Amino acid sequence: MKDDRVSEAVIHRLPKYYRYLTELDSLGTERVSSAKMSKDTGLNASQIRRDFNCFGGFGQQGYGYQVKRLRNEIKNILGINRQYNAIVIGAGNIGQALIKYENFPREGFFIRGVFDVDKKKIGEQINGLAVQPLGALKKFLRRTPCQIGIVATPKRAAQETADFLVSLGIRAIWNFAPTEVAVDEGISIENVNLSDSLYVLSYRMNTDKMG
Amino acid sequence: MKDDRVSEAVIHRLPKYYRYLTELDSLGTERVSSAKMSKDTGLNASQIRRDFNCFGGFGQQGYGYQVKRLRNEIKNILGINRQYNAIVIGAGNIGQALIKYENFPREGFFIRGVFDVDKKKIGEQINGLAVQPLGALKKFLRRTPCQIGIVATPKRAAQETADFLVSLGIRAIWNFAPTEVAVDEGISIENVNLSDSLYVLSYRMNTDKMG
DNA sequence: TAGATTGTTAATCGATTAACAATC
DNA sequence: TAGATTGTTAATCGATTAACAATC
């Protein structure tokens, strides 16, 4: 890692590299050049080499990159070489879908608890997890340390929920409410705004038109 | 609209402007300057004016922008001044959550049907919609024209599903499978990759650390 | 060694920001 | 008119791409 503030553009290409290398590895491919990666992913070969070199020199001149090694380096860089515990706040549709999503545990992300303020939802079972009142969260986190707080509340509750999670020591917020949530320096945030995504699709539909 | 190939960066700021102006309007604010917008959103004032001017001059020197007018212009640009019909392919967790999500109909996006290849799921009711076999889609679209196809299948089925939708005349794909889907020129695509988003959050957690 | 391909420097391109003339 | 603020041109900054020397 030589890291020198890596740009957002690079960060968002990392998962794509990781997926591609996983595919390559599962196919039994042992080595790959930036030229081949370029052909397969559509990204520029210079850019690919430059991206990797943000974190260190993983290749070898005249040879290219070892698929397994490179994949593993990127896995490390992304921090997905370990397990994470998460809690969900909000037992609505989005919260439930995330709890049931099979891919997350497969990738080392485990949702350990679900919390809601709605009394009617308390006790409800979602994928083997009983919905708990938000007031039970503090004690819960003492027994089950969690790194990630997933905000799946309505818009109006999103910011206060995030603030509450941070106050309890959570250092990463994954926000699904249709509004941006602000956090202090040092706290990680990732906003997934489905409405925004749909707006962008709508924009494209009204612009992409052609043969 | 003077449009001259609007950059992705601008496109992705449009929903943010729209949300902000909606908020301002609901508060009864009638006019706003780029300086005020800059203060509230954190974006640079020059950038804001430049972004709007990709589409036309919506402001007035010495006055600023009329909130209602500007909001409406952006609504038009985004194409969310009308209604859209959509179908969901894949009645799993993600598909179900999207069908139940109350915000979409509120914003003019209506999910009219849900289809799956899994015989066990056919007939199941989701929010008043019966899951249908994929074979019934062609006929369904004749009765109920849909503009958007939502891919909520497993990874392996994503590309073929998208291709099938396009073959039936769907011109916009909203893809939730954890893999990128490629479409021809002229077809709109928006990929929402939850795993990628989680990877980025994980990366941040391992980098943001500080006070 | 000759060939291949990286890592890195230099050139290009595009996006952001600053500055200011136009104008309400 | 004087003041405010846009729309737009010019300057800056950063990201992408090309080129090539280093080296396996």
Side-chain angles (χ1 to χ4, degrees), chain B residues 27-110:
Chain B
L27 259 42
T29 312
E30 287 191 1
R31 50 171 282 203
V32 66
S33 68
S34 58
K36 160 101 170 111
M37 287 191 254
S38 172
K39 201 152 82 55
D40 291 344
T41 63
L43 300 170
N44 178 288
S46 278
Q47 182 171 66
I48 292 171
R49 295 199 299 278
R50 210 163 217 284
D51 281 357
F52 295 158
N53 283 38
C54 290
F55 306 99
F58 305 138
Q60 193 175 312
Q61 280 105 325
Y63 175 87
Y65 300 85
Q66 269 181 261
V67 173
K68 264 189 210 306
R69 154 107 200 276
L70 183 58
R71 173 174 181 277
N72 219 268
E73 295 284 3
I74 293 177
K75 192 171 186 175
N76 278 227
I77 293 161
L78 284 171
I80 52 177
N81 53 342
R82 44 160 297 198
Q83 299 198 338
Y84 293 90
N85 285 340
I87 41 156
V88 168
I89 313 299
N93 305 311
I94 301 280
Q96 292 194 29
L98 294 171
I99 292 166
K100 293 178 190 158
Y101 197 45
E102 310 89 341
N103 281 346
F104 296 151
R106 229 179 265 155
E107 309 190 274
F109 292 87
F110 298 93

Side-chain angles (χ1 to χ4, degrees), chain A residues 8 16 19 77-79 84 93 100 107 174 180 188-190 195-197 199 202-204 206 208, chain B residues 8 16 19 78-79 84 93 100 107 174 180 188-190 195-197 199 202-204 206 208:
Chain A
E8 281 294 306
K16 188 167 176 165
R19 272 190 279 120
I77 293 162
L78 284 171
Y84 294 90
N93 305 312
K100 293 178 190 157
E107 309 190 273
W174 202 17
E180 251 145 273
S188 308
I189 174 83
E190 174 76 2
S195 288
D196 282 13
S197 172
Y199 291 169
S202 167
Y203 173 85
R204 295 217 175 102
N206 290 276
D208 287 351
Chain B
E8 280 294 306
K16 187 166 178 165
R19 273 191 278 121
L78 284 171
Y84 293 90
N93 305 311
K100 293 178 190 158
E107 309 190 274
W174 201 18
E180 253 145 89
S188 308
I189 174 84
E190 175 75 2
S195 288
D196 282 14
S197 173
Y199 291 168
S202 167
Y203 172 85
R204 295 217 175 101
N206 290 275
D208 287 351

